[in-house]
Amino acid sequence: MLRKNICADLLKLKGLPIIWAHILIPVITSGLFLLYDSFAIWNEETKLTAFYQAIGAGFPVLIGIFTASMAQQEQNAGCFQNLLSLPKKTVAFLSKLAVLLIFSLFSVLLAAAIFGFGFCERNGSGISGIGICMMAAVLMWCSSIPLYLWQMILAFQFGKGVSVGAGILSGLVSALMLTGLGDYVWKYTFISWTGRIPDTYLRLVLGETNVSNELRTVIVIYCLFTLAGMIYYLLWSSQWEGNRISE
């Protein structure tokens, strides 16, 4: 059942720019950072962390836009009639979440692969350096799951404007949490995880052992928060009766 819904959602997105956006954005972003890396005077560690900080801060904005586009597509197709007519809406909403998560995983791995190969080739980091880049991308993707849950609910419950606005606000907060202001509270602010978790991992593998306790703490909080978010998402989707804006 879930597989059929995923295939159907992929067909629905065929005419939308979401698929191309998940290809072009990582290619352009990683290309620009590699270009900047060629003449920047920062050391290699700073360039590497800056790449993931920038992507992590921008990730919440893109999530808001993509979830809003997903909701808008359903609204345009008969004001959500395809969803409202289903006896079990949970599978349909899981399918939409799965499609966006698959796209985002591909996107962050593509960005990490392009930047990692170029960066490691230029700086002689080898296979181990590429592995670190890919692991940081996987951690960023995992840390984005609560944001997708949150934004899907906003998009389908309150409309495109609320979802995009929340995405922009989340991006600003995420960028703020990368400064010293977020050093103590970022672990408890899920909006900041896409930027902070990969950054903390990179600092750990680059020799800052004092951040290991931070990473362990946020992993525990992340698991509990994501589990609670998924349960709420399933309960909400089973009771969903349409977009308030469309009503």
Side-chain angles (χ1 to χ4, degrees):
M1 178 67 76
L2 181 60
R3 183 177 62 84
K4 291 181 179 179
N5 277 271
I6 290 175
C7 292
D9 283 324
L10 289 174
L11 289 175
K12 292 177 185 178
L13 296 177
K14 196 172 182 180
L16 297 178
I18 292 180
I19 297 177
W20 281 108
H22 280 84
I23 298 173
L24 294 178
I25 290 175
V27 170
I28 294 172
T29 302
S30 54
L32 289 175
F33 267 90
L34 285 174
L35 179 63
Y36 179 72
D37 175 49
S38 64
F39 61 82
I41 60 174
W42 295 351
N43 58 44
E44 285 74 18
E45 290 81 4
T46 303
K47 293 175 183 177
L48 184 61
T49 56
F51 173 72
Y52 286 96
Q53 285 178 351
I55 295 180
F59 211 164
V61 180
L62 295 175
I63 292 173
I65 294 173
F66 293 142
T67 52
S69 298
M70 182 76 80
Q72 187 68 35
Q73 186 274 330
E74 285 292 344
Q75 185 172 1
N76 293 340
C79 292
F80 302 107
Q81 289 304 311
N82 291 331
L83 284 174
L84 292 171
S85 61
L86 294 174
K88 294 183 179 180
K89 305 181 188 72
T90 302
V91 177
F93 277 100
L94 275 177
S95 170
K96 295 182 184 303
L97 177 65
V99 166
L100 288 178
L101 288 176
I102 292 169
F103 283 168
S104 68
L105 178 60
F106 168 80
S107 190
V108 295
L109 289 179
L110 178 61
I114 295 173
F115 179 80
F117 277 104
F119 181 82
C120 294
E121 180 70 22
R122 184 173 294 159
N123 297 287
S125 301
I127 298 298
S128 61
I130 296 173
I132 290 172
C133 290
M134 300 302 285
M135 185 62 191
V138 171
L139 288 174
M140 181 183 295
W141 176 77
C142 290
S143 62
S144 72
I145 295 176
L147 273 171
Y148 275 102
L149 293 168
W150 158 260
Q151 290 287 10
M152 284 287 287
I153 293 172
L154 288 181
F156 278 89
Q157 192 68 31
F158 300 105
K160 179 179 180 180
V162 173
S163 179
V164 173
I168 294 172
L169 179 61
S170 299
L172 293 174
V173 173
S174 181
L176 183 64
M177 288 294 170
L178 288 169
T179 68
L181 295 174
D183 285 346
Y184 299 103
V185 298
W186 75 268
K187 297 184 292 294
Y188 313 102
T189 312
F190 75 97
I191 295 172
S192 69
W193 289 345
T194 53
R196 272 289 195 164
I197 289 180
D199 177 66
T200 305
Y201 164 74
L202 289 172
R203 288 162 56 199
L204 179 64
V205 298
L206 292 173
E208 294 186 36
T209 55
N210 58 310
V211 300
S212 58
N213 289 332
E214 265 190 325
L215 195 56
R216 281 195 291 266
T217 300
V218 76
I219 287 174
V220 173
I221 296 172
Y222 164 83
C223 291
L224 294 174
F225 185 83
T226 304
L227 178 61
M230 181 59 74
I231 292 172
Y232 179 78
Y233 181 77
L234 295 175
L235 292 174
W236 165 83
S237 61
S238 65
Q239 303 297 322
W240 183 76
E241 295 182 351
N243 186 307
R244 290 186 180 180
I245 303 301
S246 65
E247 294 171 359

